[in-house]
Amino acid sequence: MPTEPQILKALSSVQDPDLRKDIVSLGFIKNLKIDGPRVSFDVELTTPACPVKDQLKQQAHDAVKALDGVSEVSITMTSNVRSQGRQAAIAMPGVKNVIAVASGKGGVGKSTASVNIALALQASGAAVGLMDADIYGPSIPGMLGVAGVRPEGAPGGKILPVEKYGLKLMSMGFLATDDTPVIWRGPMVHGILQQFLGQVEWGALDYLVIDLPPGTGDAQLTLTQSAPLAGAVIITTPQDVSLLIARKGLRMFQKVNVPILGIVENMSYFVCSKCGEHHNIFRHGGARKASEEMGIPFLGEIPIDPEIVLGGDEGLPIVQRRPGSETAVAYRQIAANMAAQLSIQTMKASAPADLSLRWKVPTQS
């Protein structure tokens, strides 16, 4: 019959490629049980959207199954999203990680990316909220098919977020009528964003995705000063002008010590529906090159897909509308890569305590 030390030693050969530690040292092994030749345990990851979840499960299974006396291995993959714990002017105790999705300019598909990334995280099993910080041009309600919905009040003068597809939502679009422009100066924008952060009953969330307006103005400054941002994602297109402006937005976050989780290239290529050939309409690969030059992660690329537009117009985003499509798969991979980068940042911020050994594996004499 295998022993606990033997099993843990075998599992210590399995490494998380993102965190660069073995799953025993990381404290991922939980509820280890040995019933004769049958072994069962949980692998508790730092995010349900882990991009290497299946790989880790298979490696853990093979490592234990190779031990003498083991005939059956049962593994349950779980997750416990950790809080980055960044201090900010507005505390959000129920929200573990606040992520800003930004761009230096408009028209690059940032809001569409925010919606689909949030949905991809939610589909992985995470509790997710989406905050529309574009006060002058809120688009999230329309993209999710909840335009015209009004949020309800909650005890203590707070507001309940609107819910759709499992996401908790807040937007200026819920508070203003469709044909009424929001004509506000900076202090008023500052005030409403602070209310969205502190006066909305977000509840317990693993991730709150904030869709920022384009540029580096009042809204961005308010959020970097007020929200406990765990990281930022930059959306760009392949053209030089878009990349140049995206770099400025990226440097803004760096100046206020917000980690850059990565860069996404939207409108990266077009796939011909008849021949399947890829066409680089706006060039290709600029974001990957920029990520290498600036030393930040490249999270992935999104094709030009008419289904994205249809999904946004019909309130049924492509991750929800066509989950098996190439574009939806790309969004899910980007969400997984982003979550992995966030876990890396969180582990760095909490080192060395969280990286200490939690199991003592005896050495062979």
Side-chain angles (χ1 to χ4, degrees), residues 305-332:
D305 187 343
E307 290 287 336
I308 295 178
V309 179
L310 290 175
D313 289 345
E314 296 174 6
L316 192 62
I318 194 165
V319 167
Q320 198 77 18
R321 175 189 176 93
R322 294 187 59 202
S325 66
E326 178 180 342
T327 304
V329 171
Y331 274 122
R332 287 200 296 275

PDB file of all heavy atoms in Angstrom, residues 305-332:
ATOM      1  N   ASP A 305     -14.289  39.065 -36.799  1.00  0.00           N
ATOM      2  CA  ASP A 305     -15.341  38.062 -36.954  1.00  0.00           C
ATOM      3  C   ASP A 305     -16.702  38.765 -36.971  1.00  0.00           C
ATOM      4  O   ASP A 305     -17.070  39.409 -35.985  1.00  0.00           O
ATOM      5  CB  ASP A 305     -15.267  37.065 -35.793  1.00  0.00           C
ATOM      6  CG  ASP A 305     -16.213  35.878 -35.958  1.00  0.00           C
ATOM      7  OD1 ASP A 305     -17.144  35.962 -36.783  1.00  0.00           O
ATOM      8  OD2 ASP A 305     -16.021  34.878 -35.248  1.00  0.00           O
ATOM      9  N   PRO A 306     -17.460  38.654 -38.057  1.00  0.00           N
ATOM     10  CA  PRO A 306     -18.786  39.287 -38.101  1.00  0.00           C
ATOM     11  C   PRO A 306     -19.702  38.844 -36.974  1.00  0.00           C
ATOM     12  O   PRO A 306     -20.598  39.590 -36.561  1.00  0.00           O
ATOM     13  CB  PRO A 306     -19.344  38.845 -39.460  1.00  0.00           C
ATOM     14  CG  PRO A 306     -18.138  38.547 -40.291  1.00  0.00           C
ATOM     15  CD  PRO A 306     -17.128  38.001 -39.335  1.00  0.00           C
ATOM     16  N   GLU A 307     -19.472  37.639 -36.435  1.00  0.00           N
ATOM     17  CA  GLU A 307     -20.307  37.143 -35.343  1.00  0.00           C
ATOM     18  C   GLU A 307     -20.124  37.975 -34.076  1.00  0.00           C
ATOM     19  O   GLU A 307     -21.020  38.033 -33.235  1.00  0.00           O
ATOM     20  CB  GLU A 307     -19.977  35.675 -35.060  1.00  0.00           C
ATOM     21  CG  GLU A 307     -20.420  34.711 -36.147  1.00  0.00           C
ATOM     22  CD  GLU A 307     -21.929  34.516 -36.173  1.00  0.00           C
ATOM     23  OE1 GLU A 307     -22.569  34.734 -35.136  1.00  0.00           O
ATOM     24  OE2 GLU A 307     -22.457  34.158 -37.241  1.00  0.00           O
ATOM     25  N   ILE A 308     -18.959  38.597 -33.930  1.00  0.00           N
ATOM     26  CA  ILE A 308     -18.736  39.467 -32.779  1.00  0.00           C
ATOM     27  C   ILE A 308     -19.697  40.648 -32.827  1.00  0.00           C
ATOM     28  O   ILE A 308     -20.321  41.017 -31.825  1.00  0.00           O
ATOM     29  CB  ILE A 308     -17.283  39.972 -32.744  1.00  0.00           C
ATOM     30  CG1 ILE A 308     -16.312  38.803 -32.524  1.00  0.00           C
ATOM     31  CG2 ILE A 308     -17.102  41.009 -31.630  1.00  0.00           C
ATOM     32  CD1 ILE A 308     -14.852  39.223 -32.533  1.00  0.00           C
ATOM     33  N   VAL A 309     -19.839  41.237 -34.006  1.00  0.00           N
ATOM     34  CA  VAL A 309     -20.736  42.385 -34.185  1.00  0.00           C
ATOM     35  C   VAL A 309     -22.186  41.977 -33.961  1.00  0.00           C
ATOM     36  O   VAL A 309     -22.941  42.656 -33.262  1.00  0.00           O
ATOM     37  CB  VAL A 309     -20.560  42.989 -35.591  1.00  0.00           C
ATOM     38  CG1 VAL A 309     -21.512  44.164 -35.779  1.00  0.00           C
ATOM     39  CG2 VAL A 309     -19.119  43.431 -35.804  1.00  0.00           C
ATOM     40  N   LEU A 310     -22.575  40.848 -34.548  1.00  0.00           N
ATOM     41  CA  LEU A 310     -23.954  40.371 -34.371  1.00  0.00           C
ATOM     42  C   LEU A 310     -24.251  40.103 -32.904  1.00  0.00           C
ATOM     43  O   LEU A 310     -25.320  40.454 -32.397  1.00  0.00           O
ATOM     44  CB  LEU A 310     -24.163  39.088 -35.187  1.00  0.00           C
ATOM     45  CG  LEU A 310     -24.187  39.250 -36.713  1.00  0.00           C
ATOM     46  CD1 LEU A 310     -24.267  37.883 -37.379  1.00  0.00           C
ATOM     47  CD2 LEU A 310     -25.352  40.122 -37.148  1.00  0.00           C
ATOM     48  N   GLY A 311     -23.303  39.479 -32.230  1.00  0.00           N
ATOM     49  CA  GLY A 311     -23.507  39.182 -30.809  1.00  0.00           C
ATOM     50  C   GLY A 311     -23.669  40.434 -29.980  1.00  0.00           C
ATOM     51  O   GLY A 311     -24.525  40.504 -29.091  1.00  0.00           O
ATOM     52  N   GLY A 312     -22.850  41.469 -30.283  1.00  0.00           N
ATOM     53  CA  GLY A 312     -22.956  42.716 -29.541  1.00  0.00           C
ATOM     54  C   GLY A 312     -24.260  43.438 -29.802  1.00  0.00           C
ATOM     55  O   GLY A 312     -24.870  44.003 -28.891  1.00  0.00           O
ATOM     56  N   ASP A 313     -24.722  43.401 -31.053  1.00  0.00           N
ATOM     57  CA  ASP A 313     -25.982  44.079 -31.398  1.00  0.00           C
ATOM     58  C   ASP A 313     -27.194  43.370 -30.802  1.00  0.00           C
ATOM     59  O   ASP A 313     -28.191  44.006 -30.455  1.00  0.00           O
ATOM     60  CB  ASP A 313     -26.136  44.157 -32.918  1.00  0.00           C
ATOM     61  CG  ASP A 313     -25.175  45.144 -33.557  1.00  0.00           C
ATOM     62  OD1 ASP A 313     -24.596  45.968 -32.812  1.00  0.00           O
ATOM     63  OD2 ASP A 313     -24.997  45.098 -34.792  1.00  0.00           O
ATOM     64  N   GLU A 314     -27.114  42.053 -30.688  1.00  0.00           N
ATOM     65  CA  GLU A 314     -28.252  41.262 -30.206  1.00  0.00           C
ATOM     66  C   GLU A 314     -28.207  40.997 -28.706  1.00  0.00           C
ATOM     67  O   GLU A 314     -29.093  40.335 -28.166  1.00  0.00           O
ATOM     68  CB  GLU A 314     -28.299  39.938 -30.963  1.00  0.00           C
ATOM     69  CG  GLU A 314     -28.557  40.106 -32.464  1.00  0.00           C
ATOM     70  CD  GLU A 314     -28.467  38.792 -33.224  1.00  0.00           C
ATOM     71  OE1 GLU A 314     -28.308  37.742 -32.565  1.00  0.00           O
ATOM     72  OE2 GLU A 314     -28.569  38.815 -34.459  1.00  0.00           O
ATOM     73  N   GLY A 315     -27.211  41.524 -28.028  1.00  0.00           N
ATOM     74  CA  GLY A 315     -27.105  41.304 -26.594  1.00  0.00           C
ATOM     75  C   GLY A 315     -26.707  39.889 -26.231  1.00  0.00           C
ATOM     76  O   GLY A 315     -26.982  39.417 -25.126  1.00  0.00           O
ATOM     77  N   LEU A 316     -26.037  39.194 -27.161  1.00  0.00           N
ATOM     78  CA  LEU A 316     -25.616  37.821 -26.940  1.00  0.00           C
ATOM     79  C   LEU A 316     -24.161  37.694 -27.389  1.00  0.00           C
ATOM     80  O   LEU A 316     -23.886  37.279 -28.518  1.00  0.00           O
ATOM     81  CB  LEU A 316     -26.515  36.854 -27.723  1.00  0.00           C
ATOM     82  CG  LEU A 316     -26.424  35.365 -27.404  1.00  0.00           C
ATOM     83  CD1 LEU A 316     -26.823  35.104 -25.962  1.00  0.00           C
ATOM     84  CD2 LEU A 316     -27.303  34.568 -28.357  1.00  0.00           C
ATOM     85  N   PRO A 317     -23.202  38.076 -26.537  1.00  0.00           N
ATOM     86  CA  PRO A 317     -21.787  38.080 -26.924  1.00  0.00           C
ATOM     87  C   PRO A 317     -21.319  36.721 -27.428  1.00  0.00           C
ATOM     88  O   PRO A 317     -21.871  35.678 -27.059  1.00  0.00           O
ATOM     89  CB  PRO A 317     -21.075  38.468 -25.624  1.00  0.00           C
ATOM     90  CG  PRO A 317     -22.101  39.223 -24.846  1.00  0.00           C
ATOM     91  CD  PRO A 317     -23.410  38.563 -25.163  1.00  0.00           C
ATOM     92  N   ILE A 318     -20.283  36.735 -28.245  1.00  0.00           N
ATOM     93  CA  ILE A 318     -19.894  35.531 -28.966  1.00  0.00           C
ATOM     94  C   ILE A 318     -19.477  34.387 -28.049  1.00  0.00           C
ATOM     95  O   ILE A 318     -19.683  33.216 -28.375  1.00  0.00           O
ATOM     96  CB  ILE A 318     -18.779  35.845 -29.999  1.00  0.00           C
ATOM     97  CG1 ILE A 318     -18.630  34.677 -30.972  1.00  0.00           C
ATOM     98  CG2 ILE A 318     -17.473  36.207 -29.297  1.00  0.00           C
ATOM     99  CD1 ILE A 318     -17.846  35.023 -32.215  1.00  0.00           C
ATOM    100  N   VAL A 319     -18.912  34.679 -26.894  1.00  0.00           N
ATOM    101  CA  VAL A 319     -18.568  33.607 -25.954  1.00  0.00           C
ATOM    102  C   VAL A 319     -19.817  32.875 -25.499  1.00  0.00           C
ATOM    103  O   VAL A 319     -19.802  31.678 -25.236  1.00  0.00           O
ATOM    104  CB  VAL A 319     -17.784  34.175 -24.751  1.00  0.00           C
ATOM    105  CG1 VAL A 319     -17.701  33.163 -23.619  1.00  0.00           C
ATOM    106  CG2 VAL A 319     -16.380  34.582 -25.182  1.00  0.00           C
ATOM    107  N   GLN A 320     -20.936  33.605 -25.438  1.00  0.00           N
ATOM    108  CA  GLN A 320     -22.222  33.021 -25.069  1.00  0.00           C
ATOM    109  C   GLN A 320     -22.954  32.502 -26.307  1.00  0.00           C
ATOM    110  O   GLN A 320     -23.597  31.456 -26.262  1.00  0.00           O
ATOM    111  CB  GLN A 320     -23.081  34.077 -24.373  1.00  0.00           C
ATOM    112  CG  GLN A 320     -24.242  33.540 -23.556  1.00  0.00           C
ATOM    113  CD  GLN A 320     -23.796  32.977 -22.221  1.00  0.00           C
ATOM    114  OE1 GLN A 320     -22.699  33.283 -21.762  1.00  0.00           O
ATOM    115  NE2 GLN A 320     -24.628  32.161 -21.600  1.00  0.00           N
ATOM    116  N   ARG A 321     -22.852  33.229 -27.399  1.00  0.00           N
ATOM    117  CA  ARG A 321     -23.601  32.937 -28.618  1.00  0.00           C
ATOM    118  C   ARG A 321     -23.061  31.711 -29.359  1.00  0.00           C
ATOM    119  O   ARG A 321     -23.821  30.839 -29.778  1.00  0.00           O
ATOM    120  CB  ARG A 321     -23.544  34.167 -29.523  1.00  0.00           C
ATOM    121  CG  ARG A 321     -24.178  34.030 -30.905  1.00  0.00           C
ATOM    122  CD  ARG A 321     -23.825  35.256 -31.749  1.00  0.00           C
ATOM    123  NE  ARG A 321     -24.324  35.157 -33.100  1.00  0.00           N
ATOM    124  CZ  ARG A 321     -25.491  35.628 -33.510  1.00  0.00           C
ATOM    125  NH1 ARG A 321     -26.281  36.241 -32.654  1.00  0.00           N
ATOM    126  NH2 ARG A 321     -25.861  35.501 -34.767  1.00  0.00           N
ATOM    127  N   ARG A 322     -21.736  31.670 -29.533  1.00  0.00           N
ATOM    128  CA  ARG A 322     -21.101  30.560 -30.251  1.00  0.00           C
ATOM    129  C   ARG A 322     -19.866  30.110 -29.484  1.00  0.00           C
ATOM    130  O   ARG A 322     -18.727  30.396 -29.872  1.00  0.00           O
ATOM    131  CB  ARG A 322     -20.720  30.986 -31.667  1.00  0.00           C
ATOM    132  CG  ARG A 322     -21.916  31.292 -32.568  1.00  0.00           C
ATOM    133  CD  ARG A 322     -21.454  31.533 -33.997  1.00  0.00           C
ATOM    134  NE  ARG A 322     -20.747  30.355 -34.525  1.00  0.00           N
ATOM    135  CZ  ARG A 322     -19.876  30.403 -35.544  1.00  0.00           C
ATOM    136  NH1 ARG A 322     -19.584  31.559 -36.112  1.00  0.00           N
ATOM    137  NH2 ARG A 322     -19.296  29.302 -35.973  1.00  0.00           N
ATOM    138  N   PRO A 323     -20.047  29.414 -28.362  1.00  0.00           N
ATOM    139  CA  PRO A 323     -18.919  29.060 -27.490  1.00  0.00           C
ATOM    140  C   PRO A 323     -17.870  28.171 -28.142  1.00  0.00           C
ATOM    141  O   PRO A 323     -16.728  28.133 -27.686  1.00  0.00           O
ATOM    142  CB  PRO A 323     -19.598  28.358 -26.309  1.00  0.00           C
ATOM    143  CG  PRO A 323     -20.921  27.912 -26.829  1.00  0.00           C
ATOM    144  CD  PRO A 323     -21.339  28.931 -27.835  1.00  0.00           C
ATOM    145  N   GLY A 324     -18.241  27.455 -29.199  1.00  0.00           N
ATOM    146  CA  GLY A 324     -17.277  26.580 -29.855  1.00  0.00           C
ATOM    147  C   GLY A 324     -16.530  27.218 -31.001  1.00  0.00           C
ATOM    148  O   GLY A 324     -15.665  26.580 -31.619  1.00  0.00           O
ATOM    149  N   SER A 325     -16.817  28.472 -31.307  1.00  0.00           N
ATOM    150  CA  SER A 325     -16.178  29.145 -32.439  1.00  0.00           C
ATOM    151  C   SER A 325     -14.720  29.463 -32.136  1.00  0.00           C
ATOM    152  O   SER A 325     -14.294  29.530 -30.980  1.00  0.00           O
ATOM    153  CB  SER A 325     -16.928  30.437 -32.773  1.00  0.00           C
ATOM    154  OG  SER A 325     -16.805  31.374 -31.710  1.00  0.00           O
ATOM    155  N   GLU A 326     -13.956  29.692 -33.199  1.00  0.00           N
ATOM    156  CA  GLU A 326     -12.537  30.035 -33.043  1.00  0.00           C
ATOM    157  C   GLU A 326     -12.368  31.300 -32.210  1.00  0.00           C
ATOM    158  O   GLU A 326     -11.461  31.401 -31.374  1.00  0.00           O
ATOM    159  CB  GLU A 326     -11.900  30.223 -34.422  1.00  0.00           C
ATOM    160  CG  GLU A 326     -10.431  30.623 -34.386  1.00  0.00           C
ATOM    161  CD  GLU A 326      -9.820  30.793 -35.764  1.00  0.00           C
ATOM    162  OE1 GLU A 326     -10.404  30.279 -36.746  1.00  0.00           O
ATOM    163  OE2 GLU A 326      -8.756  31.433 -35.871  1.00  0.00           O
ATOM    164  N   THR A 327     -13.254  32.262 -32.418  1.00  0.00           N
ATOM    165  CA  THR A 327     -13.155  33.525 -31.689  1.00  0.00           C
ATOM    166  C   THR A 327     -13.453  33.339 -30.206  1.00  0.00           C
ATOM    167  O   THR A 327     -12.748  33.890 -29.347  1.00  0.00           O
ATOM    168  CB  THR A 327     -14.112  34.562 -32.290  1.00  0.00           C
ATOM    169  OG1 THR A 327     -13.824  34.710 -33.683  1.00  0.00           O
ATOM    170  CG2 THR A 327     -13.979  35.902 -31.595  1.00  0.00           C
ATOM    171  N   ALA A 328     -14.499  32.565 -29.879  1.00  0.00           N
ATOM    172  CA  ALA A 328     -14.838  32.319 -28.480  1.00  0.00           C
ATOM    173  C   ALA A 328     -13.714  31.571 -27.776  1.00  0.00           C
ATOM    174  O   ALA A 328     -13.379  31.858 -26.622  1.00  0.00           O
ATOM    175  CB  ALA A 328     -16.144  31.542 -28.383  1.00  0.00           C
ATOM    176  N   VAL A 329     -13.127  30.603 -28.467  1.00  0.00           N
ATOM    177  CA  VAL A 329     -11.992  29.862 -27.899  1.00  0.00           C
ATOM    178  C   VAL A 329     -10.827  30.810 -27.626  1.00  0.00           C
ATOM    179  O   VAL A 329     -10.144  30.720 -26.600  1.00  0.00           O
ATOM    180  CB  VAL A 329     -11.558  28.720 -28.842  1.00  0.00           C
ATOM    181  CG1 VAL A 329     -10.247  28.094 -28.376  1.00  0.00           C
ATOM    182  CG2 VAL A 329     -12.643  27.656 -28.923  1.00  0.00           C
ATOM    183  N   ALA A 330     -10.596  31.752 -28.550  1.00  0.00           N
ATOM    184  CA  ALA A 330      -9.519  32.729 -28.364  1.00  0.00           C
ATOM    185  C   ALA A 330      -9.771  33.597 -27.133  1.00  0.00           C
ATOM    186  O   ALA A 330      -8.849  33.864 -26.351  1.00  0.00           O
ATOM    187  CB  ALA A 330      -9.390  33.601 -29.611  1.00  0.00           C
ATOM    188  N   TYR A 331     -11.015  34.041 -26.937  1.00  0.00           N
ATOM    189  CA  TYR A 331     -11.332  34.838 -25.753  1.00  0.00           C
ATOM    190  C   TYR A 331     -11.120  34.035 -24.468  1.00  0.00           C
ATOM    191  O   TYR A 331     -10.609  34.558 -23.472  1.00  0.00           O
ATOM    192  CB  TYR A 331     -12.780  35.331 -25.811  1.00  0.00           C
ATOM    193  CG  TYR A 331     -12.969  36.626 -26.561  1.00  0.00           C
ATOM    194  CD1 TYR A 331     -13.828  36.714 -27.655  1.00  0.00           C
ATOM    195  CD2 TYR A 331     -12.298  37.786 -26.170  1.00  0.00           C
ATOM    196  CE1 TYR A 331     -14.016  37.906 -28.341  1.00  0.00           C
ATOM    197  CE2 TYR A 331     -12.478  38.977 -26.850  1.00  0.00           C
ATOM    198  CZ  TYR A 331     -13.333  39.026 -27.940  1.00  0.00           C
ATOM    199  OH  TYR A 331     -13.497  40.208 -28.608  1.00  0.00           O
ATOM    200  N   ARG A 332     -11.520  32.759 -24.488  1.00  0.00           N
ATOM    201  CA  ARG A 332     -11.341  31.936 -23.290  1.00  0.00           C
ATOM    202  C   ARG A 332      -9.856  31.740 -22.985  1.00  0.00           C
ATOM    203  O   ARG A 332      -9.450  31.739 -21.818  1.00  0.00           O
ATOM    204  CB  ARG A 332     -12.049  30.595 -23.453  1.00  0.00           C
ATOM    205  CG  ARG A 332     -13.568  30.690 -23.363  1.00  0.00           C
ATOM    206  CD  ARG A 332     -14.191  29.336 -23.046  1.00  0.00           C
ATOM    207  NE  ARG A 332     -13.949  28.381 -24.122  1.00  0.00           N
ATOM    208  CZ  ARG A 332     -14.706  28.261 -25.207  1.00  0.00           C
ATOM    209  NH1 ARG A 332     -15.754  29.056 -25.366  1.00  0.00           N
ATOM    210  NH2 ARG A 332     -14.437  27.366 -26.124  1.00  0.00           N
TER     211      ARG A 332
END
